[in-house]
Amino acid sequence: MQPRSDQRTGLAYGIAAYTMWGLLPLYWRLLDDAAPSEILAHRMVWSLPVAVVLLAVLRRWSWIGPLLRQPRRLGLILVSTLVISANWFLYIWAVNSRHVLEASLGYFINPLVSIAFGVLVLRERLRPLQWAAVAIGALAVLVMTVAYGRMPWIALALAFSFAMYGLVKKGIKLDGIEGFSAETALQLLPALGFLVFLGLRGDASFTTGAGQALLLSACGVATAVPLICFGASAVRLPLTMIGMLQYLAPTFQFLLGLTVFHETMPPERWAGFALVWLALAMLTWDALRTAGRARAALAEAAAQAAAAATPPETATEAAPAAAPAAAAAQPTAEQPGTPRPPGVTQ
């Protein structure tokens, strides 16, 4: 178990990470003069130098050689790079096209989509409350389809792409910074080529002013800093707490769309969001209850192991003075409370 001070530090890092991710729409709106494709390309190009600096500071280069000798993992990294690139582009486009609320819906339903992937792809078994949450999430999509007058494709595409990204990352098995570095390395050349193409055509906004150039070049920092905070949080907090913190980002996005960008929210959309929030509340309750049971079982197992490891001499010294005589009279009888060897079922 992590020390309490370490958990407080992890909580602070986690809140910082998800708050920054939740406030990213404000940053993308500052770049409204640039096309989403140009913003994406700058995000890719400027992320790699940040990744290289991080690897240099942490001295974490040893993973590169083995990775280059594993074509299957390289193929999975290519897939994850394509998926996260599509996710980034769609999110930037959604924000700058005034669809922040629908984008937040996508990240709200992402846990439900991840659970569906777990069942369909990984053959995982769900508990009844998880099945109920997924069913309510599907109902919410139907309600939102009626509310928007169309399928909420932005939300669904964001949710499915990010869930697919998580699924592929499970097969790569690289830590956060290493995976981020590998993906940005693959993104660099296509993104750089696209920026050169824009410059030759005279369509690049990078050269329109120092402020715009500074904002575009800072995309790498805006991408990497939340990731660093998330990594620092993940090693200090249990997964159940990380799972609850992840709802901070779409909550901030939702509040921004509602109060800052003044997007419309008719009653039928409120109903759809309410269903999603109900499903997430059920998932959270189920996760907390399951984690509590797991901790109780672990504590009981630890207590049993400690009892089983108690030296026999301790029990002998604590026995009454008549115990040796009783033991001599009944040499084959098992004394109550005699510790069994570790691993023996009680």
Side-chain angles (χ1 to χ4, degrees):
M1 180 179 294
Q2 293 283 354
R4 187 173 296 273
S5 60
D6 214 26
Q7 286 201 359
R8 282 198 296 265
T9 303
L11 184 62
Y13 277 123
I15 292 173
Y18 284 106
T19 299
M20 284 185 279
W21 277 326
L23 296 179
L24 265 181
L26 294 174
Y27 187 78
W28 301 139
R29 281 291 178 91
L30 292 175
L31 296 167
D32 211 10
D33 292 338
S37 55
E38 184 181 4
I39 298 172
L40 175 66
H42 277 285
R43 186 177 189 180
M44 293 173 173
V45 168
W46 295 105
S47 289
L48 185 59
V50 176
V52 171
V53 170
L54 290 175
L55 292 175
V57 171
L58 298 174
R59 298 180 180 179
R60 291 163 68 169
W61 307 101
S62 58
W63 57 276
I64 298 177
L67 178 63
L68 293 176
R69 295 189 292 271
Q70 297 177 349
R72 181 181 177 277
R73 291 179 76 194
L74 287 173
L76 288 175
I77 290 174
L78 177 60
V79 173
S80 70
T81 301
L82 293 174
V83 172
I84 198 61
S85 298
N87 180 274
W88 284 0
F89 173 79
L90 182 58
Y91 182 66
I92 295 169
W93 176 86
V95 169
N96 288 352
S97 299
R98 284 35 176 189
H99 294 292
V100 176
L101 288 177
E102 190 174 349
S104 74
L105 176 65
Y107 288 107
F108 273 126
I109 66 176
N110 171 249
L112 301 171
V113 176
S114 296
I115 288 175
F117 275 14
V119 173
L120 297 175
V121 180
L122 303 178
R123 304 299 180 185
E124 295 177 353
R125 300 178 66 180
L126 298 187
R127 295 180 291 275
L129 209 56
Q130 291 176 311
W131 276 117
V134 172
I136 292 174
L139 177 61
V141 172
L142 292 177
V143 171
M144 295 303 284
T145 299
V146 174
Y148 280 103
R150 59 171 175 81
M151 183 73 72
W153 67 268
I154 298 173
L156 291 175
L158 286 171
F160 274 88
S161 61
F162 202 72
M164 176 67 72
Y165 178 68
L167 184 65
V168 175
K169 293 282 280 185
K170 286 178 68 71
I172 298 173
K173 296 178 181 177
L174 279 179
D175 288 341
I177 294 177
E178 284 89 341
F180 173 67
S181 302
E183 289 161 3
T184 52
L186 291 179
Q187 290 171 334
L188 177 65
L189 289 181
L192 191 58
F194 179 72
L195 291 178
V196 171
F197 171 73
L198 286 181
L200 293 175
R201 285 181 48 182
D203 294 333
S205 67
F206 187 78
T207 56
T208 57
Q212 182 79 348
L214 184 60
L215 285 172
L216 286 171
S217 59
C219 285
V221 176
T223 301
V225 171
L227 180 66
I228 296 168
C229 291
F230 172 77
S233 173
V235 299
R236 292 174 169 86
L237 293 179
L239 286 177
T240 51
M241 191 170 293
I242 291 290
M244 286 184 288
L245 286 177
Q246 74 174 335
Y247 301 133
L248 282 176
T251 298
F252 279 118
Q253 294 164 13
F254 177 83
L255 293 175
L256 286 176
L258 204 61
T259 62
V260 177
F261 303 131
H262 304 293
E263 295 184 13
T264 58
M265 191 69 172
E268 56 271 24
R269 293 186 191 176
W270 277 109
F273 271 94
L275 286 172
V276 171
W277 294 332
L278 174 61
L280 294 179
M282 294 170 66
L283 281 183
T284 302
W285 167 251
D286 181 72
L288 290 174
R289 184 180 60 176
T290 303
R293 289 175 177 175
R295 284 194 297 269
L298 185 62
E300 182 180 354
Q304 291 178 355
T310 304
E313 293 80 2
T314 304
T316 303
E317 292 171 0
Q330 299 179 351
T332 59
E334 183 181 10
Q335 301 297 322
T338 301
R340 293 188 175 97
V344 178
T345 305
Q346 295 291 330

